[in-house]
Amino acid sequence: MGDVKPLVSTSNSMDGDAFEARFTDLCKKGLSLDEKTCSGAMKLFKETKHLVSSNVSSAERTVEEAERFWFSFVLYSLNRLSEKDGDSAQQKSDENRFTLCQILRATKLNIVYFFEELPQFVVKAGLVLTNMYGEDWESRLEVVKEYRFMAKEMQANFEYLTLISKSYKRAFWELFLSSDANIGKQESATGAPDYLSKYHRFGWLLFLALRVHAFSRFADLVTCTNGFVSVLAILILHVPICYRNFKINDSPRFVKKGEKGVDLLASLCNMYDASEADLRRTLKMTNKLMEDILKNKPCPASECKTETLEHIDTENDYDDATRNMGDLDERLFINKEDSLLGFGSLSGEDENISGIKWKFDSIASPSKTISSPLSPHCHRVSHVNGVLGPLNGKVASTPVSTAMTTAKWLRTFICPLPSRPSAELQHFLSSCDKDVTNDVIRRAHIILEAIFPCSHDCSLTGSLRSANLMDNTWMEQRRLEALKLYYRVLEAVCTAEAQILRAPNLTSLLTNERFHRCMLACSAELVRATHMTATMLFPTVLGRTGNTAFDLSKVIESFIRHEKSLPRELKRHLNSLEERLLESMVWDKGSSLYNTLIVARPALSSEINRLGLLAEPMPSLDAIAMHINFSGGIPTVPSLQKHETSPSNFGSLILGQNGDVRSPKRLCTDYRSVLVERNSFTSRPTRPNPVGGGETCAETGINIFFSKINKLAAVRINGMVERLQLSQEIRESVYFLFQQILSQRTSLFFNRHIDQIILCCLYVVAKVSSYDIF
């Protein structure tokens, strides 16, 4: 297919045949699809078109805008999901291929808005998609589930590429945009000298080649940054000196010196907080890749002949490698296609992009916080645009530099640690009623391999095999980092706990399965967030460890407290996750919160059982090991799962008087943090808590959990009241009502977001007080 023209009508009518006719026109004339593809697109369109009206009202957009969005969603879904229905991408002819960029050009949309709205389409059209794709019900659900995750990953991938491309562009023009008046005469219509534009484009294509052949397509931000820095090194060496905007020997950017003068790689690592070893490996791959793609051996510049380069097409490699992907054409970041990137409009109309800029600015934190509309308003300070501006050789603060700074923390504080428990930690592990050292080591390796799995596909060849090996290496490195972080924080927790107990025997803590899995989940999530990978986005880590949101919410505060060296950005990330958990995820069906509630609040048990909210049993460690085909060479020892049938062990199944399992929906005991709720680790939920004033451990845990919910609500109510400029009396009344509902009518929170409760409280208070705020 060639380039497409926007062919979407501006009619505001959605009545009858006209609506379908416009979609047919888009498929046949706008995208030149064949009859079979058009038929599939029309089928999906007809099944979902009744949902378009809700897309208009909910998003406050015009009929014409809703139509364009829906057309693009249908076509993109068809392109992605048809592969699951036996129509593989490889079977599509080149003439009939269509990509996301072509869809967006034809529907006059930009990528930013498309990815913002795509998750809503998947939710609304989910039932239709499950019915149309997949051989049976389970496979259909799996298809849509994968599609939903794929959409999130694609969005994150696009955001990361946007950040990388901006950093690359700034760095390139700082280095090579010459101020020579004579050279300036050669500038093209794009505002950049033509020869420099070619170098700039070559550098970006080389970076994309790295992503395709050496990295995963969804490589993390740190790996991608190493990639573009290696490209900068190559450009610095090979772009003619007369085009440089610096002098290598007296530039404040290149501050690292070696025996022979400036150490270029060390200086670049200093600028970007990169690992010199990682950058050298990446640069080696980059050089090898250029040889393979250009099919030329490196030679001195004096021996290079211009005619040997005349028949090299730098675009062919990317075309061939991405021919059947059907996704984002990543060359658009240097193609001046601002309309597709969200900084203009294909229709020629101005668009408000302040929300988009906030979205990119917010990625400065690895938390990528999804803040509530009711959260207090924060005035965000925009980042300095320059990358190489500061005279100390460091780049200015950007999302990319922030990611590299947190990666440097991991490299400096965690990587040098041993990959086995330290002598101090081993002392605690061996001081239990039974030495649990091997149990702890085995569990850590199994859970971390489940979180960061390796691919064992031996059938891959060529660039796919190289990328697969790179992915496996990446997974192994992340597992090792998470393992070392886990042992470090576990030792700090044990040390603090032993000081309180004045004894090294921490059996009830160190034999608790949920506690260890949550600690491993926190460690793995921090490692993932540090590298800012577009894959394995939260809450993936929960499913792979067998934890629920309620489990994880109780160890985050303790984890932060016991790792003193955590960078501010990673603390923010964990705090934002805790907020996400508390505001809605802990209230979802299947949360272990409900297993604790029926013990702490027996009156709620009938409603919990009626709604089927109880958590399923946590999968055993052996089951996880079997699922991932674990064979990590760890000594085979009795799993701690075998101890879970002991009534005295925290986290056990609830047993009948004869020791038999009473119900597959077990009652879970829970905890918040070691220091605040220490006794929750040592007792069954129905046993009295020695420091709980007559409460059971379950009651203590729920009371602590409710206090955290109240604190979160107080912050959001305060922010809402400030924005609406309401009185202190209104503020106090809304908060009091929220507290009463949480305490006396807890079931109203089931399967709901706390913001819904807050808004209802505000509405009731306003009605009762005759205060007009709506």
Side-chain angles (χ1 to χ4, degrees), residues 154-184:
M154 281 288 295
Q155 181 177 9
N157 185 55
F158 165 71
E159 291 167 357
Y160 292 170
L161 274 173
T162 301
L163 296 175
I164 289 289
S165 66
K166 286 182 177 181
S167 293
Y168 169 67
K169 181 178 180 180
R170 291 169 188 149
F172 183 89
W173 295 124
E174 285 282 347
L175 289 167
F176 300 111
L177 183 59
S178 176
S179 58
D180 190 317
N182 293 326
I183 295 177

Side-chain angles (χ1 to χ4, degrees), residues 269-384:
C269 288
N270 178 68
M271 286 187 218
Y272 290 92
D273 282 326
S275 162
E276 190 167 341
D278 289 345
L279 185 57
R280 288 188 184 279
R281 278 195 298 269
T282 305
L283 187 59
K284 185 177 180 180
M285 288 190 294
T286 308
N287 283 320
K288 180 65 168 60
L289 190 60
M290 283 195 296
E291 289 184 34
D292 293 342
I293 294 176
L294 301 180
K295 299 192 172 45
N296 274 274
K297 292 291 183 181
C299 64
S302 59
E303 299 177 11
C304 181
K305 298 180 180 180
T306 306
E307 55 267 23
T308 61
L309 303 176
E310 290 179 353
H311 302 293
I312 292 178
D313 188 341
T314 55
E315 307 281 341
N316 276 348
D317 176 71
Y318 187 81
D319 284 334
D320 293 340
T322 61
R323 185 173 306 279
N324 293 316
M325 292 179 181
D327 290 326
L328 192 63
D329 185 341
E330 296 159 349
R331 291 172 295 189
L332 66 88
F333 290 98
I334 52 169
N335 283 347
K336 303 296 186 299
E337 296 187 63
D338 287 346
S339 54
L340 284 185
L341 291 175
F343 307 115
S345 171
L346 277 170
S347 60
E349 301 170 357
D350 292 333
E351 297 189 17
N352 182 0
I353 62 169
S354 59
I356 300 171
K357 184 181 185 303
W358 173 87
K359 189 173 186 63
F360 290 141
D361 287 345
S362 70
I363 307 176
S365 167
S367 64
K368 276 188 64 184
T369 306
I370 303 178
S371 59
S372 163
L374 304 187
S375 298
H377 179 66
C378 297
H379 295 284
R380 304 179 184 273
V381 180
S382 61
H383 295 291
V384 180

Side-chain angles (χ1 to χ4, degrees), residues 577-591:
L577 289 189
E578 185 179 32
E579 185 172 323
R580 285 180 62 187
L581 296 170
L582 294 175
E583 69 185 6
S584 63
M585 294 180 69
V586 297
W587 301 102
D588 289 343
K589 180 179 179 180
S591 170

Side-chain angles (χ1 to χ4, degrees), residues 743-762:
S743 175
Q744 305 300 324
R745 295 289 185 269
T746 311
S747 61
L748 291 177
F749 283 79
F750 296 174
N751 273 326
R752 287 194 173 95
H753 195 292
I754 69 166
D755 286 353
Q756 294 176 282
I757 308 297
I758 293 174
L759 290 173
C760 289
C761 290
L762 176 61

Side-chain angles (χ1 to χ4, degrees), residues 618-641:
M618 183 173 64
S620 72
L621 197 62
D622 291 335
I624 294 177
M626 184 179 297
H627 179 71
I628 64 174
N629 194 25
F630 178 77
S631 57
I634 303 302
T636 302
V637 294
S639 170
L640 289 181
Q641 289 289 336

